[in-house]
Structures are given as structure tokens and as C-alpha cells.
Amino acid sequence: MKKFYFLLFFGLLFNIGFSQESICEKFKIGKFLYTSEGLPDITVTRTKTTQTETIKESPEVIQGTIVWKSNCTYEFIFTKGPVPELIGKTMSVEIFNINGNMAKGKALFEGKYVNFGLEKLD
């Protein structure tokens, strides 16, 4: 009986881990829109290793390299942007609470957290 519960427990963990991976997979590559109140309209274009953020009605563009650390977390290293002091700095990002094409996330940068909403456009 103990063996049954042991196998059941690890089977559930295994399924949860792989279902989380497939859920976050759709947020790794594509075009997205930040949906948080207080943030300007920012469109995000993400490939496997890069991310470009474009602010609507602004010439400002932020670019960076992405290093995925786990299924739903990555590091964003600034490579281009309007603030030269940010170039080379790293921000840690986690995606969670996924519901269809919507997700929530949080970013840690220089000791401060920023929460955001994210909508997958394509």
C-alpha cells in the first residue's frame, strides 16, 4: 500500500511538472503585450534568445538577451535601450498564473519587484 501512494505521489509531481512546462512554452516565443495598469503600451517580441520591447508612440526600444533558467523563469540581460547605465545589467523574470493567452509575471531588478500582466498576441 505504501508503494502505491509513493508511486501515485511521484506520478502527480511528474504530471504537474510537465503540464507547467507545456503551459509556459507558449510564452517563450512570440509577440506579447504588457497589460498592467500604470505601464505604457509596450509590445514585446521574443525569440528563443532575444527580446525586444517597443513602447507605443515612442521611438524608444529596449533589447536584451534571454537565458531561460527553468520552464517559467528567465534572465533578461539588457543590450540596448534609452538608459545606457542599464546595458549589461540583468533582470530575473518569472511567468505564472497562466490562463489561456493571459499570464502574470514578476520581475526582480536591483532588489525591487515589478508585477505585470502579459497577453500573448501571436
Side-chain angles (χ1 to χ4, degrees):
M1 190 62 152
K2 286 182 182 180
K3 186 176 183 180
F4 171 76
Y5 287 120
F6 179 78
L7 291 173
L8 179 65
F9 175 73
F10 279 104
L12 289 172
L13 284 178
F14 184 76
N15 284 334
I16 290 169
F18 278 102
S19 66
Q20 181 74 359
E21 178 178 0
S22 64
I23 290 172
C24 288
E25 194 67 32
K26 74 189 299 185
F27 287 89
K28 288 186 175 183
I29 296 174
K31 193 170 188 175
F32 309 91
L33 178 68
Y34 286 124
T35 59
S36 298
E37 208 173 292
L39 286 178
D41 287 340
I42 300 174
T43 303
V44 176
T45 304
R46 190 179 298 143
T47 69
K48 187 176 180 181
T49 59
T50 63
Q51 179 170 307
T52 302
E53 299 182 2
T54 307
I55 301 170
K56 187 178 180 181
E57 300 179 14
S58 171
E60 294 180 357
V61 173
I62 299 169
Q63 292 180 332
T65 302
I66 294 175
V67 178
W68 287 93
K69 296 298 186 177
S70 71
N71 297 328
C72 297
T73 60
Y74 65 91
E75 289 184 345
F76 177 85
I77 301 106
F78 290 88
T79 59
K80 180 181 177 185
V83 182
E85 295 80 18
L86 295 180
I87 307 304
K89 294 199 175 189
T90 301
M91 177 171 41
S92 297
V93 182
E94 178 184 3
I95 299 170
F96 58 91
N97 199 16
I98 296 167
N99 186 7
N101 285 339
M102 304 294 287
K104 294 191 183 212
K106 65 179 176 182
L108 174 62
F109 184 68
E110 296 188 336
K112 296 180 183 174
Y113 282 98
V114 174
N115 294 313
F116 61 89
L118 193 63
E119 178 182 1
K120 170 114 181 184
L121 301 176
D122 66 14

